[in-house]
Amino acid sequence: MTKDLVNAIAIDGPVAAGKGTIAALLAKRLKGFHLYTGAMYRCLALCCLERDIDVTKVDSVLSALSEIWFDLDGDIVYLNDQDVTEKLKQRSVTQLVPKVAAIGKVREEMVKRQQEIGRKKMDMGKVVVAEGRDVATKIFPDARLKIFLTARPEVRAKRRYEQMGGKNNATITFEDILGDTNERDRRDYERKVDPLVKNPEKMGYTLIDNSDLTEDETVEAVVSAWNSHIK
Ligand code: DC
């Protein structure tokens, strides 16, 4: 094994490729730790909502961040020792979180904390599984395995459509969701901060297209890549 690599699996990829689901299943499968980085941004957004903090005031957001701590335990998320797992799914949180996640100083502090949490788990002998755009570039650039998880746009749009109720949801059509997915991909590839990588294999990622794979098969594909990387 190369010494300078850390026992982390970084998962990146476009919207609705199943990164979160696969990271959680994979952490269970490898008896590792799922570092759900998005939850930490969601916690900060929740805290801003509950304290009525104006998120355009960077100092107020940073001050709130300095007063909170996170704990992740499987699928449970704790904010200052309180289980906030369900609260984090609220629409108001989902809507506010991109605003707090866009603040550079918030990102710097989050990356620091994510590295600390991850390293503690690695010191305990656990594999850290994390998904998100900055995992392979900023949090664990020396991750032993970097996965680029993707699927054809139509497949990803279908997953999102089904999650939103599919034909039972009269307010959306599959074509709307496909249009949104393509637009989101375009923005993700073109954005200035942490854009989606265009040639993942050239950038050291193992590419997994799960268009025709089940969740279990996708997990197995990552486990097999992991096993060949730790040899
Ligand atoms: O994965 P999620 O939807 O729970 O992420 C919540 C938000 O946090 C979303 O707006 C993306 C952002 N995020 C981020 O900026 N950096 C990360 N490493 C993880 C999530």
Side-chain angles (χ1 to χ4, degrees), residues 18-19 25 90 110 113 125 131 144 165 183 193 201 224 230:
K19 301 184 290 289
L25 290 172
Q90 286 168 11
M110 289 293 194
R113 293 202 198 187
E131 92 278 0
R144 198 174 292 286
E183 175 57 19
V193 181
E201 282 161 307
S224 145
I230 57 172

Side-chain angles (χ1 to χ4, degrees), residues 36-39 41-42 97-98 101 107 114 131-135 139:
Y36 174 16
T37 58
Y41 290 96
R42 283 179 182 267
V97 67
R107 302 199 66 82
Q114 287 154 357
E131 92 278 0
R133 192 64 25 86
D134 57 349
V135 178
I139 310 174

